[in-house]
Amino acid sequence: GIQVEQSPPDLILQEGANSTLRCNFSDSVNNLQWFHQNPWGQLINLFYIPSGTKQNGRLSATTVATERYSLLYISSSQTTDSGVYFCAAGGYNFNKFYFGSGTKLNVKP
Amino acid sequence: NAGVTQTPKFRILKIGQSMTLQCTQDMNHNYMYWYRQDPGMGLKLIYYSVGAGITDKGEVPNGYNVSRSTTEDFPLRLELAAPSQTSVYFCASRLIAGDPNQPQHFGDGTRLSIL
């Protein structure tokens, strides 16, 4: 299957700071999704972004499929941004997604 | 519109017992998935289904069974519970029709402990 690596594994930010989370994948992908797992364990869909750039408020994501990576940008971080951020990558058969181990973000007030 | 609903939310089992985790979605999605998430880890795919009557194995299928008799429901069965199956289980669904650029939608998870 596709190997997915996320960095950094842990990140501590002061409220208001910006950050960039990275997701590298080992093979060509046709599906790439970013999630936020909140402290209650719920998985919140942030972006479906197999290529290109998308923005939603303070969050944006860019996937460069030819270079096998995706980036998630968080600007003006808030304490509610805390949690674990996962990326999941899938190939061309739409069937299987492979998750990275996540980036654990702690935003301090 | 409830989305993806999982029941129960929590369960404690004894070793060797069996149980079924329920998952239902009301979005008429054709693809459905079961994942498990061990502490501090990402999710791993157990089984998936591309439509009613069609299921296939994911990365970690051993010890589990699934069925898909309707579009809405995708139950996961544990036949002989083992401590290694202690985990949080997530069900997801996705619409693949025409435009393939559709995200997965997740339920809130079932936290299962086997003692």
Side-chain angles (χ1 to χ4, degrees):
Chain A
I2 299 171
Q3 306 299 313
V4 179
E5 294 184 357
Q6 292 185 242
S7 59
D10 295 281
L11 186 58
I12 300 174
L13 295 177
Q14 207 64 37
E15 196 169 28
N18 303 328
S19 63
T20 301
L21 282 59
R22 187 176 180 102
C23 172
N24 292 335
F25 37 91
S26 63
D27 207 344
S28 299
V29 299
N30 201 38
N31 300 276
L32 194 292
Q33 206 167 345
W34 282 97
F35 297 91
H36 174 217
Q37 188 166 41
N38 64 24
W40 296 271
Q42 295 172 315
L43 284 162
I44 311 300
N45 178 39
L46 297 176
F47 295 102
Y48 180 85
I49 185 167
S51 64
T53 297
K54 289 185 178 179
Q55 180 153 10
N56 184 3
R58 296 181 296 103
L59 274 60
S60 64
T62 295
T63 297
V64 184
T66 53
E67 297 188 19
R68 301 181 182 174
Y69 73 89
S70 183
L71 302 174
L72 178 69
Y73 306 96
I74 304 174
S75 64
S76 304
S77 58
Q78 300 175 358
T79 56
T80 52
D81 295 331
S82 296
V84 184
Y85 289 81
F86 290 104
C87 71
Y92 287 83
N93 63 3
F94 307 120
N95 296 343
K96 297 182 181 180
F97 277 82
Y98 298 88
F99 278 72
S101 296
T103 292
K104 186 174 183 179
L105 175 64
N106 184 7
V107 181
K108 298 193 170 185
Chain B
N1 192 345
V4 180
T5 302
Q6 292 184 236
T7 56
K9 294 190 185 305
F10 305 94
R11 183 75 184 267
I12 298 174
L13 281 183
K14 293 183 179 179
I15 295 171
Q17 287 185 319
S18 61
M19 78 162 293
T20 299
L21 281 65
Q22 301 292 345
C23 176
T24 187
Q25 53 92 8
D26 62 359
M27 298 174 283
N28 203 30
H29 286 176
N30 45 355
Y31 280 54
M32 294 187 76
Y33 307 83
W34 274 107
Y35 294 90
R36 61 177 285 173
Q37 183 181 26
D38 297 330
M41 304 293 288
L43 280 68
K44 290 188 181 298
L45 183 63
I46 305 171
Y47 271 95
Y48 65 94
S49 168
V50 303
I54 305 170
T55 62
D56 205 350
K57 296 177 181 179
E59 292 181 89
V60 289
N62 292 343
Y64 306 95
N65 282 300
V66 293
S67 60
R68 183 99 181 269
S69 57
T70 67
T71 299
E72 294 79 17
D73 299 308
F74 190 39
L76 178 72
R77 178 95 178 149
L78 282 71
E79 290 293 350
L80 288 171
S84 61
Q85 294 177 304
T86 294
S87 191
V88 181
Y89 292 84
F90 287 97
C91 178
S93 71
R94 189 173 180 221
L95 178 64
I96 303 294
D99 179 7
N101 293 316
Q102 299 294 325
Q104 296 179 89
H105 297 263
F106 280 81
D108 288 343
T110 294
R111 188 174 298 274
L112 180 62
S113 295
I114 297 165
L115 306 175

